[in-house]
Amino acid sequence: MSTADPSNPITSVNPITSVSPGYAAPGIYTNQALLTRLNLDLRGRIFPVERETLMLLPESVLLGLFPQGLILSKPASWEGGDDGVFTVDFNSECFEFILDFWADAQAAFYGTPTSPGLFHAQQSIPPSPTDPNSDINQNPLLTKQAIIVLREELEYFSITTPGALARVDDQGLANDELRALKRAAGEALASKRQIFTALQRNVNKENNQAEQHLIDMLCMSGFNRDDEWGFRACEPTRNLISSMALVLLKTGIVHPGSPGAPADLSAPIIDDRQMGTAQKLLLFWRKPARKCWWDGVEVEVPKSTTSTENMSVKVWARRVWTLELSLI
């Protein structure tokens, strides 16, 4: 596999390659006495999750769930069942969105009792000595469902004018008006759900061709230019908006009956050009990479907590994107 382009706005940032002590990497189990099921308490909402399901989640998500690491092995004195509760500071709706997408993707690829799925059909692709893309031993995209995971953490700072009702007191603490203004600014930003608008604005301002290449690559691989975040919400205790987008990777494998497939197609075939693009995303398999940039926008918020009129407020946003590829 070729080395990542240092000018790429994602790969130019040091990827997350290490994990916290006690964190079990996906697919690696060194202790036989492992919990088979965990109950995750996500801000008051309990999710019973099988260990195998948890370990299939993106590493960037696991690090968000367990920033201090997670011990999956049972203590020597453990006598109960696999019903321990782990308290996790993570949005429950985002976690549910991820689990639902994972379940749907697995069912479509590996099949159900009533449908064989794509995996079964792809085993009939004949290997070619001159085409490594057709060899299931060399190309993991033939035997695994690939999912592009894109996260955004948007930290925002509202700029107030001197003498405004929204201000801080002598101790530097925000008054009620300022807290309300920050909440309103966050809600206004959260309502802007299109994924690529902010990055495209930065491309247009800076004429950054590497960032344009990133957008083009993602849109060739499964996203559409007008796609919206699948999940987007303000964090309850911080001026932060968390967003998540998941999309199946376009591998270039054409199945009979799929849109655009030849009418006489009887077995899956591979579009080598699209497969080549898809394989570039393997650079981010188990190697989440990040990009950070600042963005200034204006949003409309109420003039005060008692006013029905709006005013424009300048907001500075620090956006951090995390890109990762998952194979399930």
Side-chain angles (χ1 to χ4, degrees):
M1 184 177 295
S2 60
T3 304
D5 182 357
S7 66
N8 187 290
I10 285 285
T11 56
S12 62
V13 181
N14 290 332
I16 305 169
T17 56
S18 61
V19 293
S20 303
Y23 171 80
I28 300 176
Y29 310 114
T30 58
N31 191 322
Q32 297 301 316
L34 292 175
L35 294 170
T36 59
R37 186 182 68 254
L38 296 87
N39 291 321
L40 303 183
D41 181 350
L42 275 66
R43 299 175 181 172
R45 187 176 174 189
I46 303 297
F47 285 83
V49 184
E50 298 297 322
R51 182 196 68 201
E52 298 292 341
T53 299
L54 192 65
M55 291 297 93
L56 286 174
L57 297 182
E59 291 209 2
S60 58
V61 172
L62 289 175
L63 288 168
L65 288 166
F66 311 108
Q68 303 303 318
L70 173 65
I71 303 297
L72 290 177
S73 58
K74 300 178 183 178
S77 60
W78 188 285
E79 296 179 355
D82 293 346
D83 55 0
V85 176
F86 295 81
T87 301
V88 179
D89 185 17
F90 196 86
N91 189 291
S92 61
E93 293 182 5
C94 183
F95 189 63
E96 184 176 38
F97 166 67
I98 297 169
L99 291 182
D100 288 346
F101 192 97
W102 246 240
D104 291 343
Q106 285 181 306
F109 189 76
Y110 293 106
T112 65
T114 58
S115 174
L118 302 179
F119 173 79
H120 177 75
Q122 288 175 192
Q123 304 313 296
S124 63
I125 297 177
S128 170
T130 60
D131 184 10
N133 287 338
S134 64
D135 188 343
I136 61 174
N137 295 315
Q138 298 187 46
N139 187 357
L141 299 180
L142 296 178
T143 57
K144 299 289 185 180
Q145 175 64 72
I147 301 172
I148 304 176
V149 181
L150 184 62
R151 297 180 63 199
E152 180 185 75
E153 290 189 335
L154 189 163
E155 189 174 12
Y156 62 92
F157 306 86
S158 52
I159 310 300
T160 59
T161 57
L165 292 175
R167 66 185 72 177
V168 296
D169 59 21
D170 295 338
Q171 285 74 41
L173 301 177
N175 64 7
D176 291 341
E177 291 290 342
L178 182 53
R179 287 194 291 269
L181 184 147
K182 289 181 177 180
R183 286 194 299 270
E187 292 169 358
L189 286 172
S191 68
K192 301 178 184 297
R193 299 185 62 90
Q194 287 202 333
I195 296 173
F196 298 109
T197 299
L199 187 58
Q200 188 65 62
R201 182 166 57 242
N202 201 51
V203 170
N204 297 340
K205 181 176 66 175
E206 304 290 343
N207 193 28
N208 191 318
Q209 294 304 307
E211 291 181 348
Q212 184 63 60
H213 174 71
L214 170 63
I215 295 174
D216 294 341
M217 180 183 69
L218 291 176
C219 291
M220 290 176 62
S221 302
F223 285 98
N224 294 314
R225 295 184 187 275
D226 58 352
D227 273 351
E228 296 185 348
W229 295 104
F231 168 83
R232 188 168 175 85
C234 298
E235 289 293 311
T237 60
R238 299 175 58 192
N239 293 337
L240 184 76
I241 299 169
S242 297
S243 304
M244 173 76 70
L246 304 171
V247 67
L248 299 180
L249 176 66
K250 287 184 179 179
T251 59
I253 302 174
V254 182
H255 288 261
S258 62
D264 59 348
L265 187 65
S266 59
I269 58 175
I270 299 176
D271 180 335
D272 289 331
R273 182 176 180 181
Q274 182 62 46
M275 178 62 78
T277 300
Q279 288 183 322
K280 293 178 182 179
L281 271 295
L282 287 173
L283 286 169
F284 307 108
W285 177 38
R286 293 185 179 174
K287 294 181 180 179
R290 291 178 291 179
K291 170 181 172 52
C292 172
W293 78 98
W294 286 87
D295 183 35
V297 295
E298 288 191 354
V299 296
E300 293 290 317
V301 300
K303 286 186 175 181
S304 70
T305 55
T306 59
S307 175
T308 58
E309 298 181 10
N310 287 344
M311 64 178 180
S312 293
V313 173
K314 183 76 171 182
V315 177
W316 283 105
R318 180 179 182 268
R319 301 175 187 265
V320 179
W321 273 18
T322 303
L323 175 64
E324 182 179 2
L325 186 75
S326 286
L327 298 180
I328 61 175

